[in-house]
Amino acid sequence: IACAWQQKLASLRLAAYHENPNDVTGCMLALELGNLGRLYRDGNQKKQIYETMNEHCRRINNLFETEETKFLLAASYGNLASLSEAGEQKRSCYEKAQELLLELCEETNSVQYRQALAENYNLLALFYLAERGKEDYDLVAYWHEKEAGILEELCEETGEVKYRRALAECYDMIGFVRGFQEDWKEDRKEAKRWYKRAADVWERLLKETNTIRDRRDLADEYESLGDICKEQKQLGEAKYWYERRWEELSELRRREGGVSGILGSIRRFGMRRTAENLGEVGEAAGNLEEAEHWYTLNWSICQEEVREAEKEIKAEETDKVIEACKDVEVQICYENGTQQVYLNGVNITGRLRD
């Protein structure tokens, strides 16, 4: 139904453009084509609409070449890239979008255009990450560092939480990539440095927002730092970071009141893994009493997991499902252009069909 109405709206915009071809009517038609493409579920229909949009955007940009026509043309290349299967074609679309966005940023220095350029750099980084290979890891880091440069400017200028979160995620990705490069296997200082920068951003954010989401991401950053230190046999520092992760996970659990179901399972898994890591660090350091303490905690959480599994609500138990849903908070948002679903502060997007 939504597609049918959107098609009618696009037809009206097309008629208006034919009647009075100018940059405004042209841009309105391009916007409606983009909206229609997003509504289609069929990949072939979506691709056909996006190709039509791109062709139209190229035409109106050649005719009028305004900020709006350039920006819409860049967006149309991004849409095409999202559907392109061939690596070279996808990369070409991202690079064409990047060229247009760079021009716009040089002309106006607008926050909107710089944000779009940072997102384009992020998509290029993810493209090269998917390609794998040693050479591609260098490119992944390169594009993420370009993204970070813009986000740092936006954070300083606006102070907005969304840019600071994006910056922390960007720092984390650079740390992740640096940690996987073969050239950095013997010395992970570079990866550690980026993870530490991400943790610093999350810590400042948490003081302001005190949200479950920011606390969770900070806890994950502490784990990354602990993993690197443990691998490098820096046991004292590894213990420090794992203990800080444990503190944040414990606080999350306290605030959530011992949630059950998928959410509870995710929390327990994080705490089990942290307890296990602390046990291994204590054992490696020769502190067997401390190691025993953490291994025992790990075992206790495993037993709790078994008890929870026995209480699991079956889909056909309607009354229990309804009761459980009373304490559920669902948040839907967009991160880097992709829809994400949070259940009580935990990102469950990847498990929606479990």
mmCIF file with all atom_site columns, all heavy atoms in Angstrom, residues 86-106:
data_model
loop_
_atom_site.group_PDB
_atom_site.id
_atom_site.type_symbol
_atom_site.label_atom_id
_atom_site.label_alt_id
_atom_site.label_comp_id
_atom_site.label_asym_id
_atom_site.label_entity_id
_atom_site.label_seq_id
_atom_site.pdbx_PDB_ins_code
_atom_site.Cartn_x
_atom_site.Cartn_y
_atom_site.Cartn_z
_atom_site.occupancy
_atom_site.B_iso_or_equiv
_atom_site.pdbx_formal_charge
_atom_site.auth_seq_id
_atom_site.auth_comp_id
_atom_site.auth_asym_id
_atom_site.auth_atom_id
_atom_site.pdbx_PDB_model_num
ATOM 1   N N   . ALA A 1 86  ? 29.071 -6.347 -7.545  1.00 0.00 ? 86  ALA A N   1
ATOM 2   C CA  . ALA A 1 86  ? 30.444 -6.318 -8.053  1.00 0.00 ? 86  ALA A CA  1
ATOM 3   C C   . ALA A 1 86  ? 31.274 -5.317 -7.258  1.00 0.00 ? 86  ALA A C   1
ATOM 4   O O   . ALA A 1 86  ? 30.874 -4.165 -7.078  1.00 0.00 ? 86  ALA A O   1
ATOM 5   C CB  . ALA A 1 86  ? 30.450 -5.946 -9.534  1.00 0.00 ? 86  ALA A CB  1
ATOM 6   N N   . GLY A 1 87  ? 32.429 -5.767 -6.759  1.00 0.00 ? 87  GLY A N   1
ATOM 7   C CA  . GLY A 1 87  ? 33.264 -4.921 -5.919  1.00 0.00 ? 87  GLY A CA  1
ATOM 8   C C   . GLY A 1 87  ? 33.689 -3.622 -6.586  1.00 0.00 ? 87  GLY A C   1
ATOM 9   O O   . GLY A 1 87  ? 33.630 -2.556 -5.981  1.00 0.00 ? 87  GLY A O   1
ATOM 10  N N   . GLU A 1 88  ? 34.101 -3.703 -7.851  1.00 0.00 ? 88  GLU A N   1
ATOM 11  C CA  . GLU A 1 88  ? 34.591 -2.529 -8.571  1.00 0.00 ? 88  GLU A CA  1
ATOM 12  C C   . GLU A 1 88  ? 33.472 -1.504 -8.765  1.00 0.00 ? 88  GLU A C   1
ATOM 13  O O   . GLU A 1 88  ? 33.688 -0.298 -8.623  1.00 0.00 ? 88  GLU A O   1
ATOM 14  C CB  . GLU A 1 88  ? 35.154 -2.952 -9.925  1.00 0.00 ? 88  GLU A CB  1
ATOM 15  C CG  . GLU A 1 88  ? 35.954 -1.873 -10.633 1.00 0.00 ? 88  GLU A CG  1
ATOM 16  C CD  . GLU A 1 88  ? 37.182 -1.430 -9.850  1.00 0.00 ? 88  GLU A CD  1
ATOM 17  O OE1 . GLU A 1 88  ? 37.757 -2.262 -9.114  1.00 0.00 ? 88  GLU A OE1 1
ATOM 18  O OE2 . GLU A 1 88  ? 37.547 -0.243 -9.957  1.00 0.00 ? 88  GLU A OE2 1
ATOM 19  N N   . GLN A 1 89  ? 32.267 -1.986 -9.065  1.00 0.00 ? 89  GLN A N   1
ATOM 20  C CA  . GLN A 1 89  ? 31.136 -1.086 -9.271  1.00 0.00 ? 89  GLN A CA  1
ATOM 21  C C   . GLN A 1 89  ? 30.749 -0.397 -7.960  1.00 0.00 ? 89  GLN A C   1
ATOM 22  O O   . GLN A 1 89  ? 30.465 0.807  -7.930  1.00 0.00 ? 89  GLN A O   1
ATOM 23  C CB  . GLN A 1 89  ? 29.937 -1.867 -9.812  1.00 0.00 ? 89  GLN A CB  1
ATOM 24  C CG  . GLN A 1 89  ? 28.742 -0.980 -10.168 1.00 0.00 ? 89  GLN A CG  1
ATOM 25  C CD  . GLN A 1 89  ? 27.573 -1.794 -10.697 1.00 0.00 ? 89  GLN A CD  1
ATOM 26  O OE1 . GLN A 1 89  ? 27.652 -3.014 -10.823 1.00 0.00 ? 89  GLN A OE1 1
ATOM 27  N NE2 . GLN A 1 89  ? 26.490 -1.129 -11.030 1.00 0.00 ? 89  GLN A NE2 1
ATOM 28  N N   . LYS A 1 90  ? 30.748 -1.148 -6.875  1.00 0.00 ? 90  LYS A N   1
ATOM 29  C CA  . LYS A 1 90  ? 30.427 -0.580 -5.560  1.00 0.00 ? 90  LYS A CA  1
ATOM 30  C C   . LYS A 1 90  ? 31.440 0.494  -5.186  1.00 0.00 ? 90  LYS A C   1
ATOM 31  O O   . LYS A 1 90  ? 31.089 1.592  -4.746  1.00 0.00 ? 90  LYS A O   1
ATOM 32  C CB  . LYS A 1 90  ? 30.416 -1.704 -4.512  1.00 0.00 ? 90  LYS A CB  1
ATOM 33  C CG  . LYS A 1 90  ? 29.953 -1.278 -3.122  1.00 0.00 ? 90  LYS A CG  1
ATOM 34  C CD  . LYS A 1 90  ? 30.058 -2.421 -2.144  1.00 0.00 ? 90  LYS A CD  1
ATOM 35  C CE  . LYS A 1 90  ? 28.972 -3.427 -2.304  1.00 0.00 ? 90  LYS A CE  1
ATOM 36  N NZ  . LYS A 1 90  ? 27.667 -2.965 -1.765  1.00 0.00 ? 90  LYS A NZ  1
ATOM 37  N N   . ARG A 1 91  ? 32.723 0.184  -5.356  1.00 0.00 ? 91  ARG A N   1
ATOM 38  C CA  . ARG A 1 91  ? 33.779 1.143  -5.016  1.00 0.00 ? 91  ARG A CA  1
ATOM 39  C C   . ARG A 1 91  ? 33.659 2.404  -5.870  1.00 0.00 ? 91  ARG A C   1
ATOM 40  O O   . ARG A 1 91  ? 33.804 3.531  -5.378  1.00 0.00 ? 91  ARG A O   1
ATOM 41  C CB  . ARG A 1 91  ? 35.153 0.502  -5.224  1.00 0.00 ? 91  ARG A CB  1
ATOM 42  C CG  . ARG A 1 91  ? 36.320 1.422  -4.841  1.00 0.00 ? 91  ARG A CG  1
ATOM 43  C CD  . ARG A 1 91  ? 37.652 0.718  -5.041  1.00 0.00 ? 91  ARG A CD  1
ATOM 44  N NE  . ARG A 1 91  ? 37.865 0.389  -6.425  1.00 0.00 ? 91  ARG A NE  1
ATOM 45  C CZ  . ARG A 1 91  ? 38.298 1.237  -7.353  1.00 0.00 ? 91  ARG A CZ  1
ATOM 46  N NH1 . ARG A 1 91  ? 38.562 2.499  -7.027  1.00 0.00 ? 91  ARG A NH1 1
ATOM 47  N NH2 . ARG A 1 91  ? 38.488 0.857  -8.592  1.00 0.00 ? 91  ARG A NH2 1
ATOM 48  N N   . SER A 1 92  ? 33.370 2.223  -7.160  1.00 0.00 ? 92  SER A N   1
ATOM 49  C CA  . SER A 1 92  ? 33.243 3.363  -8.070  1.00 0.00 ? 92  SER A CA  1
ATOM 50  C C   . SER A 1 92  ? 32.111 4.292  -7.619  1.00 0.00 ? 92  SER A C   1
ATOM 51  O O   . SER A 1 92  ? 32.259 5.516  -7.642  1.00 0.00 ? 92  SER A O   1
ATOM 52  C CB  . SER A 1 92  ? 32.977 2.859  -9.490  1.00 0.00 ? 92  SER A CB  1
ATOM 53  O OG  . SER A 1 92  ? 32.726 3.931  -10.350 1.00 0.00 ? 92  SER A OG  1
ATOM 54  N N   . CYS A 1 93  ? 30.980 3.724  -7.194  1.00 0.00 ? 93  CYS A N   1
ATOM 55  C CA  . CYS A 1 93  ? 29.844 4.545  -6.736  1.00 0.00 ? 93  CYS A CA  1
ATOM 56  C C   . CYS A 1 93  ? 30.216 5.342  -5.492  1.00 0.00 ? 93  CYS A C   1
ATOM 57  O O   . CYS A 1 93  ? 29.905 6.536  -5.381  1.00 0.00 ? 93  CYS A O   1
ATOM 58  C CB  . CYS A 1 93  ? 28.638 3.647  -6.447  1.00 0.00 ? 93  CYS A CB  1
ATOM 59  S SG  . CYS A 1 93  ? 27.807 3.024  -7.921  1.00 0.00 ? 93  CYS A SG  1
ATOM 60  N N   . TYR A 1 94  ? 30.894 4.678  -4.544  1.00 0.00 ? 94  TYR A N   1
ATOM 61  C CA  . TYR A 1 94  ? 31.300 5.387  -3.329  1.00 0.00 ? 94  TYR A CA  1
ATOM 62  C C   . TYR A 1 94  ? 32.270 6.527  -3.653  1.00 0.00 ? 94  TYR A C   1
ATOM 63  O O   . TYR A 1 94  ? 32.193 7.610  -3.066  1.00 0.00 ? 94  TYR A O   1
ATOM 64  C CB  . TYR A 1 94  ? 31.969 4.422  -2.347  1.00 0.00 ? 94  TYR A CB  1
ATOM 65  C CG  . TYR A 1 94  ? 31.007 3.515  -1.616  1.00 0.00 ? 94  TYR A CG  1
ATOM 66  C CD1 . TYR A 1 94  ? 31.320 2.181  -1.396  1.00 0.00 ? 94  TYR A CD1 1
ATOM 67  C CD2 . TYR A 1 94  ? 29.794 3.987  -1.130  1.00 0.00 ? 94  TYR A CD2 1
ATOM 68  C CE1 . TYR A 1 94  ? 30.454 1.339  -0.708  1.00 0.00 ? 94  TYR A CE1 1
ATOM 69  C CE2 . TYR A 1 94  ? 28.915 3.154  -0.457  1.00 0.00 ? 94  TYR A CE2 1
ATOM 70  C CZ  . TYR A 1 94  ? 29.254 1.829  -0.245  1.00 0.00 ? 94  TYR A CZ  1
ATOM 71  O OH  . TYR A 1 94  ? 28.390 1.006  0.429   1.00 0.00 ? 94  TYR A OH  1
ATOM 72  N N   . GLU A 1 95  ? 33.178 6.284  -4.589  1.00 0.00 ? 95  GLU A N   1
ATOM 73  C CA  . GLU A 1 95  ? 34.164 7.302  -4.934  1.00 0.00 ? 95  GLU A CA  1
ATOM 74  C C   . GLU A 1 95  ? 33.529 8.486  -5.674  1.00 0.00 ? 95  GLU A C   1
ATOM 75  O O   . GLU A 1 95  ? 33.928 9.636  -5.472  1.00 0.00 ? 95  GLU A O   1
ATOM 76  C CB  . GLU A 1 95  ? 35.284 6.681  -5.769  1.00 0.00 ? 95  GLU A CB  1
ATOM 77  C CG  . GLU A 1 95  ? 36.191 5.772  -4.931  1.00 0.00 ? 95  GLU A CG  1
ATOM 78  C CD  . GLU A 1 95  ? 37.277 5.114  -5.748  1.00 0.00 ? 95  GLU A CD  1
ATOM 79  O OE1 . GLU A 1 95  ? 37.211 5.186  -7.001  1.00 0.00 ? 95  GLU A OE1 1
ATOM 80  O OE2 . GLU A 1 95  ? 38.199 4.511  -5.149  1.00 0.00 ? 95  GLU A OE2 1
ATOM 81  N N   . LYS A 1 96  ? 32.522 8.210  -6.507  1.00 0.00 ? 96  LYS A N   1
ATOM 82  C CA  . LYS A 1 96  ? 31.811 9.306  -7.186  1.00 0.00 ? 96  LYS A CA  1
ATOM 83  C C   . LYS A 1 96  ? 31.040 10.149 -6.166  1.00 0.00 ? 96  LYS A C   1
ATOM 84  O O   . LYS A 1 96  ? 31.009 11.382 -6.262  1.00 0.00 ? 96  LYS A O   1
ATOM 85  C CB  . LYS A 1 96  ? 30.855 8.742  -8.240  1.00 0.00 ? 96  LYS A CB  1
ATOM 86  C CG  . LYS A 1 96  ? 31.567 8.206  -9.479  1.00 0.00 ? 96  LYS A CG  1
ATOM 87  C CD  . LYS A 1 96  ? 30.594 7.562  -10.448 1.00 0.00 ? 96  LYS A CD  1
ATOM 88  C CE  . LYS A 1 96  ? 31.332 7.010  -11.674 1.00 0.00 ? 96  LYS A CE  1
ATOM 89  N NZ  . LYS A 1 96  ? 30.412 6.279  -12.587 1.00 0.00 ? 96  LYS A NZ  1
ATOM 90  N N   . ALA A 1 97  ? 30.422 9.475  -5.203  1.00 0.00 ? 97  ALA A N   1
ATOM 91  C CA  . ALA A 1 97  ? 29.718 10.204 -4.142  1.00 0.00 ? 97  ALA A CA  1
ATOM 92  C C   . ALA A 1 97  ? 30.696 11.047 -3.329  1.00 0.00 ? 97  ALA A C   1
ATOM 93  O O   . ALA A 1 97  ? 30.428 12.210 -3.003  1.00 0.00 ? 97  ALA A O   1
ATOM 94  C CB  . ALA A 1 97  ? 28.988 9.220  -3.231  1.00 0.00 ? 97  ALA A CB  1
ATOM 95  N N   . GLN A 1 98  ? 31.854 10.465 -3.046  1.00 0.00 ? 98  GLN A N   1
ATOM 96  C CA  . GLN A 1 98  ? 32.880 11.170 -2.274  1.00 0.00 ? 98  GLN A CA  1
ATOM 97  C C   . GLN A 1 98  ? 33.346 12.437 -2.997  1.00 0.00 ? 98  GLN A C   1
ATOM 98  O O   . GLN A 1 98  ? 33.482 13.497 -2.377  1.00 0.00 ? 98  GLN A O   1
ATOM 99  C CB  . GLN A 1 98  ? 34.076 10.242 -2.061  1.00 0.00 ? 98  GLN A CB  1
ATOM 100 C CG  . GLN A 1 98  ? 35.254 10.915 -1.390  1.00 0.00 ? 98  GLN A CG  1
ATOM 101 C CD  . GLN A 1 98  ? 36.533 10.123 -1.581  1.00 0.00 ? 98  GLN A CD  1
ATOM 102 O OE1 . GLN A 1 98  ? 36.527 8.916  -1.618  1.00 0.00 ? 98  GLN A OE1 1
ATOM 103 N NE2 . GLN A 1 98  ? 37.633 10.818 -1.709  1.00 0.00 ? 98  GLN A NE2 1
ATOM 104 N N   . GLU A 1 99  ? 33.552 12.336 -4.298  1.00 0.00 ? 99  GLU A N   1
ATOM 105 C CA  . GLU A 1 99  ? 34.006 13.493 -5.081  1.00 0.00 ? 99  GLU A CA  1
ATOM 106 C C   . GLU A 1 99  ? 33.011 14.652 -4.995  1.00 0.00 ? 99  GLU A C   1
ATOM 107 O O   . GLU A 1 99  ? 33.387 15.809 -4.791  1.00 0.00 ? 99  GLU A O   1
ATOM 108 C CB  . GLU A 1 99  ? 34.191 13.058 -6.540  1.00 0.00 ? 99  GLU A CB  1
ATOM 109 C CG  . GLU A 1 99  ? 34.765 14.135 -7.438  1.00 0.00 ? 99  GLU A CG  1
ATOM 110 C CD  . GLU A 1 99  ? 34.960 13.662 -8.867  1.00 0.00 ? 99  GLU A CD  1
ATOM 111 O OE1 . GLU A 1 99  ? 35.007 12.431 -9.094  1.00 0.00 ? 99  GLU A OE1 1
ATOM 112 O OE2 . GLU A 1 99  ? 35.058 14.527 -9.756  1.00 0.00 ? 99  GLU A OE2 1
ATOM 113 N N   . LEU A 1 100 ? 31.716 14.329 -5.101  1.00 0.00 ? 100 LEU A N   1
ATOM 114 C CA  . LEU A 1 100 ? 30.675 15.359 -5.018  1.00 0.00 ? 100 LEU A CA  1
ATOM 115 C C   . LEU A 1 100 ? 30.600 15.974 -3.625  1.00 0.00 ? 100 LEU A C   1
ATOM 116 O O   . LEU A 1 100 ? 30.471 17.187 -3.461  1.00 0.00 ? 100 LEU A O   1
ATOM 117 C CB  . LEU A 1 100 ? 29.324 14.753 -5.386  1.00 0.00 ? 100 LEU A CB  1
ATOM 118 C CG  . LEU A 1 100 ? 29.143 14.385 -6.867  1.00 0.00 ? 100 LEU A CG  1
ATOM 119 C CD1 . LEU A 1 100 ? 28.004 13.390 -7.044  1.00 0.00 ? 100 LEU A CD1 1
ATOM 120 C CD2 . LEU A 1 100 ? 28.868 15.646 -7.698  1.00 0.00 ? 100 LEU A CD2 1
ATOM 121 N N   . LEU A 1 101 ? 30.696 15.124 -2.606  1.00 0.00 ? 101 LEU A N   1
ATOM 122 C CA  . LEU A 1 101 ? 30.608 15.612 -1.228  1.00 0.00 ? 101 LEU A CA  1
ATOM 123 C C   . LEU A 1 101 ? 31.815 16.474 -0.864  1.00 0.00 ? 101 LEU A C   1
ATOM 124 O O   . LEU A 1 101 ? 31.687 17.456 -0.131  1.00 0.00 ? 101 LEU A O   1
ATOM 125 C CB  . LEU A 1 101 ? 30.485 14.422 -0.263  1.00 0.00 ? 101 LEU A CB  1
ATOM 126 C CG  . LEU A 1 101 ? 29.154 13.660 -0.344  1.00 0.00 ? 101 LEU A CG  1
ATOM 127 C CD1 . LEU A 1 101 ? 29.229 12.355 0.433   1.00 0.00 ? 101 LEU A CD1 1
ATOM 128 C CD2 . LEU A 1 101 ? 28.010 14.526 0.161   1.00 0.00 ? 101 LEU A CD2 1
ATOM 129 N N   . LEU A 1 102 ? 32.988 16.110 -1.381  1.00 0.00 ? 102 LEU A N   1
ATOM 130 C CA  . LEU A 1 102 ? 34.175 16.941 -1.143  1.00 0.00 ? 102 LEU A CA  1
ATOM 131 C C   . LEU A 1 102 ? 33.988 18.336 -1.737  1.00 0.00 ? 102 LEU A C   1
ATOM 132 O O   . LEU A 1 102 ? 34.356 19.343 -1.127  1.00 0.00 ? 102 LEU A O   1
ATOM 133 C CB  . LEU A 1 102 ? 35.416 16.267 -1.738  1.00 0.00 ? 102 LEU A CB  1
ATOM 134 C CG  . LEU A 1 102 ? 36.064 15.164 -0.898  1.00 0.00 ? 102 LEU A CG  1
ATOM 135 C CD1 . LEU A 1 102 ? 37.099 14.403 -1.715  1.00 0.00 ? 102 LEU A CD1 1
ATOM 136 C CD2 . LEU A 1 102 ? 36.715 15.765 0.352   1.00 0.00 ? 102 LEU A CD2 1
ATOM 137 N N   . GLU A 1 103 ? 33.429 18.395 -2.942  1.00 0.00 ? 103 GLU A N   1
ATOM 138 C CA  . GLU A 1 103 ? 33.154 19.689 -3.568  1.00 0.00 ? 103 GLU A CA  1
ATOM 139 C C   . GLU A 1 103 ? 32.205 20.525 -2.712  1.00 0.00 ? 103 GLU A C   1
ATOM 140 O O   . GLU A 1 103 ? 32.426 21.715 -2.492  1.00 0.00 ? 103 GLU A O   1
ATOM 141 C CB  . GLU A 1 103 ? 32.528 19.472 -4.950  1.00 0.00 ? 103 GLU A CB  1
ATOM 142 C CG  . GLU A 1 103 ? 33.498 19.034 -6.022  1.00 0.00 ? 103 GLU A CG  1
ATOM 143 C CD  . GLU A 1 103 ? 32.808 18.864 -7.370  1.00 0.00 ? 103 GLU A CD  1
ATOM 144 O OE1 . GLU A 1 103 ? 31.733 19.484 -7.567  1.00 0.00 ? 103 GLU A OE1 1
ATOM 145 O OE2 . GLU A 1 103 ? 33.314 18.114 -8.215  1.00 0.00 ? 103 GLU A OE2 1
ATOM 146 N N   . LEU A 1 104 ? 31.153 19.875 -2.209  1.00 0.00 ? 104 LEU A N   1
ATOM 147 C CA  . LEU A 1 104 ? 30.170 20.579 -1.384  1.00 0.00 ? 104 LEU A CA  1
ATOM 148 C C   . LEU A 1 104 ? 30.797 21.087 -0.089  1.00 0.00 ? 104 LEU A C   1
ATOM 149 O O   . LEU A 1 104 ? 30.517 22.211 0.352   1.00 0.00 ? 104 LEU A O   1
ATOM 150 C CB  . LEU A 1 104 ? 28.990 19.652 -1.069  1.00 0.00 ? 104 LEU A CB  1
ATOM 151 C CG  . LEU A 1 104 ? 28.028 19.384 -2.230  1.00 0.00 ? 104 LEU A CG  1
ATOM 152 C CD1 . LEU A 1 104 ? 27.078 18.246 -1.890  1.00 0.00 ? 104 LEU A CD1 1
ATOM 153 C CD2 . LEU A 1 104 ? 27.232 20.644 -2.559  1.00 0.00 ? 104 LEU A CD2 1
ATOM 154 N N   . CYS A 1 105 ? 31.649 20.271 0.511   1.00 0.00 ? 105 CYS A N   1
ATOM 155 C CA  . CYS A 1 105 ? 32.297 20.681 1.763   1.00 0.00 ? 105 CYS A CA  1
ATOM 156 C C   . CYS A 1 105 ? 33.243 21.853 1.540   1.00 0.00 ? 105 CYS A C   1
ATOM 157 O O   . CYS A 1 105 ? 33.343 22.753 2.381   1.00 0.00 ? 105 CYS A O   1
ATOM 158 C CB  . CYS A 1 105 ? 33.055 19.499 2.376   1.00 0.00 ? 105 CYS A CB  1
ATOM 159 S SG  . CYS A 1 105 ? 31.977 18.209 3.024   1.00 0.00 ? 105 CYS A SG  1
ATOM 160 N N   . GLU A 1 106 ? 33.938 21.835 0.415   1.00 0.00 ? 106 GLU A N   1
ATOM 161 C CA  . GLU A 1 106 ? 34.842 22.948 0.109   1.00 0.00 ? 106 GLU A CA  1
ATOM 162 C C   . GLU A 1 106 ? 34.063 24.239 -0.171  1.00 0.00 ? 106 GLU A C   1
ATOM 163 O O   . GLU A 1 106 ? 34.509 25.326 0.171   1.00 0.00 ? 106 GLU A O   1
ATOM 164 C CB  . GLU A 1 106 ? 35.704 22.588 -1.110  1.00 0.00 ? 106 GLU A CB  1
ATOM 165 C CG  . GLU A 1 106 ? 36.753 21.526 -0.808  1.00 0.00 ? 106 GLU A CG  1
ATOM 166 C CD  . GLU A 1 106 ? 37.452 21.036 -2.065  1.00 0.00 ? 106 GLU A CD  1
ATOM 167 O OE1 . GLU A 1 106 ? 37.152 21.586 -3.158  1.00 0.00 ? 106 GLU A OE1 1
ATOM 168 O OE2 . GLU A 1 106 ? 38.275 20.108 -1.977  1.00 0.00 ? 106 GLU A OE2 1
#
